[in-house]
Every structure is written in structure tokens, then in C-alpha cells.
Amino acid sequence: MCNMTFEESSGDNSSERMESVAKALEEVLSSALPQGCITVGVYEAAKSLNADPDNVVLCLLATDDEEDVALQIHFTLIQAFCCENDINILRVSNLRRLAEILGGVKPGGEPMDLHCVLVTNPQSSLWKDPALSKVNRFCRDSRCLDQWVPVINLPDR
């Protein structure tokens, strides 16, 4: 169900709303990381989606590397899977900021593949995060406007 006002859909508050959603996304990632609820990497994400799609609450895909055909094929498959399983998807620009939020390197010291990031529910309890609710509402509202995979820019801090 779409509950957007004309002002919301016409874009009067769109830059403020985008900034608010970007901040909420940062909060989601920052709180999910210490709980072990983040999966990074295209292949790792595909494995996780295949193993337990009901546990995934959000999928983030990078907006860079648009000319990498193999990556775009993976994105298309991941997007289709997420749509089929009612998993919200966001395209994220500013991978440098995303790397800052997530720590940027794997324990071995090598850089993370941030082209695809999944946020999952913690196993211990139901996760009712207001920031996640805000991001999910943004995704739902975007679908009402036929923007199936909205783009969010993470602002530099």
C-alpha cells in the first residue's frame, strides 16, 4: 500500500528525505556490523541469499563499475532473487564512505568487496530497528513510484 502525499512524491522534500534515509542506512549498518549481521561480497551474498533468504532484511548494491558486464549480470540476478523473495534493495553510491562505515578491510588485511552488502536479522532476537524501518519504508515508497531499485548517496563525513 502506498501512503505518500503529493508533496512527498513530487520531490519538494526529496533532498532532505534522501539525506535522512542515508543517515538511517548508516545507523542500520553501524548497528548490524557488531552483531555479525553484515555479509559483504557478491559471491558471499549469493551464497547467503541461496542458503537463507528469509533471514535477509536488506540488500545494497554499488553504483560504480557500471561497465563491468560480469558484475552487472550478478547484480541483475541478485535483484531478481531479492524481488522474488521480498527483500528490499538499494543502490549505494560513495563506496569510500561505505568502506569507512564497515571497516573497509577483512581480518586478513585485504580490502572487502563492497559491490554487494546484505543486512541480515540477528539469530538471537527479532530486530526492530527504527532506522531499518525508515529505510524499508523508503524502499516501499520508491516501489510505489516505479523506482524498484532506488539509489542512495552516502554523504562524506
Side-chain angles (χ1 to χ4, degrees), residues 131-149:
L132 180 61
S133 296
K134 181 179 241 180
V135 171
N136 286 337
R137 190 171 38 257
F138 173 76
C139 291
R140 185 185 65 238
D141 291 347
S142 295
R143 283 193 299 274
C144 290
L145 298 171
D146 287 332
Q147 297 170 356
W148 290 92
V149 185

Side-chain angles (χ1 to χ4, degrees), residues 6 23 57 70 73 77 81 92 105 112 122 134 136:
F6 177 73
K23 187 174 182 179
V57 295
I73 291 170
L77 294 171
F81 189 89
V92 177
V105 293
M112 291 190 282
K134 181 179 241 180
N136 286 337

Side-chain angles (χ1 to χ4, degrees), residues 18-127:
M18 289 295 233
E19 196 172 305
S20 172
V21 172
K23 187 174 182 179
L25 178 58
E26 287 187 35
E27 289 176 31
V28 168
L29 295 172
S30 295
S31 64
L33 188 61
Q35 297 181 57
C37 297
I38 298 285
T39 302
V40 295
V42 173
Y43 298 109
E44 292 83 358
K47 284 190 268 183
S48 181
L49 284 167
N50 189 45
D52 191 7
D54 294 333
N55 197 34
V56 178
V57 295
L58 183 64
C59 176
L60 307 176
L61 300 173
T63 58
D64 70 340
D65 289 334
E66 297 290 332
E67 60 277 344
D68 185 338
V69 175
L71 188 59
Q72 294 308 312
I73 291 170
H74 287 293
F75 280 3
T76 300
L77 294 171
I78 289 171
Q79 287 175 21
F81 189 89
C82 288
C83 286
E84 188 174 304
N85 288 279
D86 295 322
I87 299 167
N88 287 319
I89 312 165
L90 284 174
R91 294 292 302 247
V92 177
S93 60
N94 196 350
L95 283 187
R96 187 181 57 72
R97 178 65 186 136
L98 185 60
E100 288 173 7
I101 296 166
L102 297 178
V105 293
K106 291 181 182 176
E110 65 184 80
M112 291 190 282
D113 170 16
L114 296 174
H115 289 102
C116 184
V117 176
L118 298 180
V119 179
T120 57
N121 272 320
Q123 297 294 334
S124 59
S125 66
L126 292 174
W127 191 29

